[in-house]
Amino acid sequence: MSNDAAGRHTRFIVLLAALVALGPLSIDGYLPGLPDLAGDLRAGAAATQLTITACLAGLAIGQLIAGPLSDTYGRRRPLLAGLALYTIASALCAVAPDVRTLIGLRLLQGIGGAFGIVIANAMVRDSASGTRSARLFSTLTLITGLAPVFAPVLGGQLLRVTAWPGIFVGLAVLGAVMLAASAAGLPETRSSASHQPLPAVIGQLLGDRVFTGYVLANGLVFAAMFAYISGSPFVLQEIHGLSPQQYSAVFAVNAAGLIAAAQISGRLVARAGARVLLLAGLLGASAGGITVLGAVLVRAPLPALLTGLFVLVSSVGLVMPNAAAQALADHGGHAGSAAALLGFSQFMIGGALAPLAGAGGATDALPMAIIVAVLPALALLTLGVLTRPTHGERTRSPARQEPAEHRRPRRHTDRGRAAIQRTGPASGEQGDSRSA
């Protein structure tokens, strides 16, 4: 690769990573300002929490809107429209006169931010396949792990020089910068438009049981991590007596484990294959969840519980990039819609199941422990039942395969899936998409 091509490729990846970070930054960046926000807008705790829920709902709904639009009209135009919506909504959040208005604006902000997440994932699939796409998804997973850790820190630093509206001004400025950078630096990666009606596309995707298997496995493990995020503050601080600073340190260590696993995945995927690493991640998450449950049941010392949580969260770094690469591998023709379903399932399954982790309140860790033990095991079972790799999928094929979106449609999309090998535009690497 020439220096000029390498520079373009680096800028491309940096822009995609920044787009993926918009969602976590929008959710977590203003958390340090919540108490002041509630006071200024004369809002109760429940109404203030709804500003978070609204953004999460927007991130889920927006992906279902952005994915099909990007398949039909290309990646750039919907992306720029979504970033414009995000920028405007963020700026208006800073001047919201009451909490109800803020909740509505946060919904719009989440929808706009979702365009960046889903289209970034679709652009990865447009630009690369096989091991190369898995490596790129590992990079995006790194940002997904870093952003929630540093977003509250950045928000806290902004509060040293401004009030809570200043955080939304900062997000608006970030959105405007991303809009300008994307308009100037992101190429159109969608080679042809999809003219199929959305219901037909969704039906085709959900009718592919292999795709559904990867989506559900990813969503269930992501929900286990959501359960940890929502339940661990009570379990670790109220039951085990950790201070907020100690809890923050535990959270940071677990996030570091996720980031490290994602980077290890990117380095090993060419040799091990995305499916093998995905299975390793599911097994690790199951082992971590079972360790957490065992520690709670026998009232083991705190280090046993922390070890289980670390293994669980770190394993997500292996699951997410490889599940995404596998799920999108055979759906390049509808990569936007496929990425939308992948992201939507994360927020929906996580949002539906994670609150159950708090059923025990501040006195019982068992509900969280059961959820983090059951969901990864269920994900492993789901993957095994729905994907069932054939001999052709387990064997690497050195021959270059025709991209899946150009193949003649098959009656049974889950049979005869050979390793897809394709050279990405920014690299001469080739890779298998679903080999194990």
Side-chain angles (χ1 to χ4, degrees), residues 86-107:
Y86 177 87
T87 301
I88 294 170
S90 297
L92 292 176
C93 283
V95 295
D98 54 63
V99 73
R100 291 184 179 180
T101 303
L102 181 61
I103 290 171
L105 290 171
R106 286 282 285 169
L107 178 67

Side-chain angles (χ1 to χ4, degrees), residues 2-417:
S2 67
N3 290 336
D4 187 46
R8 287 197 305 270
H9 180 61
T10 299
R11 289 192 295 271
F12 178 70
I13 299 304
V14 169
L15 279 174
L16 295 187
L19 290 172
V20 169
L22 278 181
L25 288 174
S26 303
I27 296 170
D28 299 332
Y30 82 123
L31 293 181
L34 276 182
D36 291 340
L37 182 154
D40 289 348
L41 299 183
R42 298 179 180 178
T48 304
Q49 289 293 327
L50 278 178
T51 64
I52 302 175
T53 303
C55 187
L56 285 170
L59 287 169
I61 296 168
Q63 294 194 58
L64 290 183
I65 299 172
L69 285 179
S70 72
D71 283 340
T72 302
Y73 299 106
R75 311 299 184 209
R76 277 177 55 85
R77 284 188 292 171
L79 174 62
L80 298 180
L83 289 174
L85 173 62
Y86 177 87
T87 301
I88 294 170
S90 297
L92 292 176
C93 283
V95 295
D98 54 63
V99 73
R100 291 184 179 180
T101 303
L102 181 61
I103 290 171
L105 290 171
R106 286 282 285 169
L107 178 67
L108 293 178
Q109 185 190 38
I111 291 174
F115 275 66
I117 296 173
V118 70
I119 292 177
N121 285 322
M123 283 183 161
V124 168
R125 177 57 186 88
D126 292 340
S127 304
S129 63
T131 57
R132 178 153 186 77
S133 72
R135 287 174 180 169
L136 295 181
F137 281 122
S138 294
T139 300
L140 298 190
T141 300
L142 166 65
I143 302 302
T144 303
L146 280 174
V149 176
F150 287 103
V153 177
L154 294 174
Q157 293 304 311
L158 278 176
L159 289 177
R160 290 177 176 271
V161 297
T162 184
W164 65 265
I167 296 177
F168 288 108
V169 172
L171 291 174
V173 171
L174 177 62
V177 171
M178 289 305 305
L179 177 60
S182 298
L186 276 183
E188 176 57 67
T189 60
R190 181 81 169 102
S191 58
S192 59
S194 170
H195 300 291
Q196 284 185 273
L198 177 60
V201 174
I202 299 298
Q204 177 183 336
L205 290 170
L206 295 180
D208 180 354
R209 68 185 182 90
V210 174
F211 170 81
T212 303
Y214 288 122
V215 167
L216 289 178
N218 181 70
L220 289 167
V221 171
F222 196 80
M225 186 174 72
F226 259 40
Y228 149 75
I229 291 172
S230 63
S232 61
F234 301 100
V235 172
L236 296 180
Q237 294 186 72
E238 299 296 332
I239 297 177
H240 289 278
L242 295 188
S243 68
Q245 293 74 27
Q246 289 172 325
Y247 172 75
S248 298
V250 169
F251 193 89
V253 168
N254 290 339
L258 185 152
I259 293 165
Q263 293 312 290
I264 291 171
S265 173
R267 293 180 180 275
L268 293 182
V269 69
R271 286 179 288 176
R275 184 179 174 85
V276 169
L277 292 175
L278 172 58
L279 289 173
L282 292 175
L283 289 170
S286 298
I290 291 171
T291 301
V292 170
L293 179 58
V296 170
L297 289 175
V298 303
R299 300 183 183 276
L302 181 59
L305 176 63
L306 295 180
T307 299
L309 290 174
F310 177 79
V311 173
L312 169 71
V313 176
S314 298
S315 298
V316 177
L318 292 176
V319 172
M320 288 181 61
N322 294 297
Q326 296 288 85
L328 272 61
D330 283 354
H331 295 286
H334 302 293
S337 299
L341 286 175
L342 186 72
F344 180 76
S345 71
Q346 290 180 347
F347 287 101
M348 288 304 296
I349 298 175
L353 298 179
L356 298 177
T363 60
D364 191 358
L366 188 59
M368 184 196 78
I370 291 174
I371 291 173
V372 300
V374 169
L375 292 185
L378 185 58
L380 190 60
L381 177 63
T382 299
L383 188 74
V385 170
L386 292 181
T387 62
R388 289 204 304 267
T390 64
H391 176 73
E393 292 171 326
R394 293 192 297 266
T395 305
R396 291 176 183 266
S397 172
R400 182 187 177 98
Q401 301 289 333
E402 184 183 10
E405 59 268 34
H406 297 291
R407 297 179 195 160
R408 181 173 56 85
R410 299 175 181 176
R411 183 175 180 83
H412 300 291
T413 57
D414 58 314
R415 296 181 182 175
R417 293 172 180 268

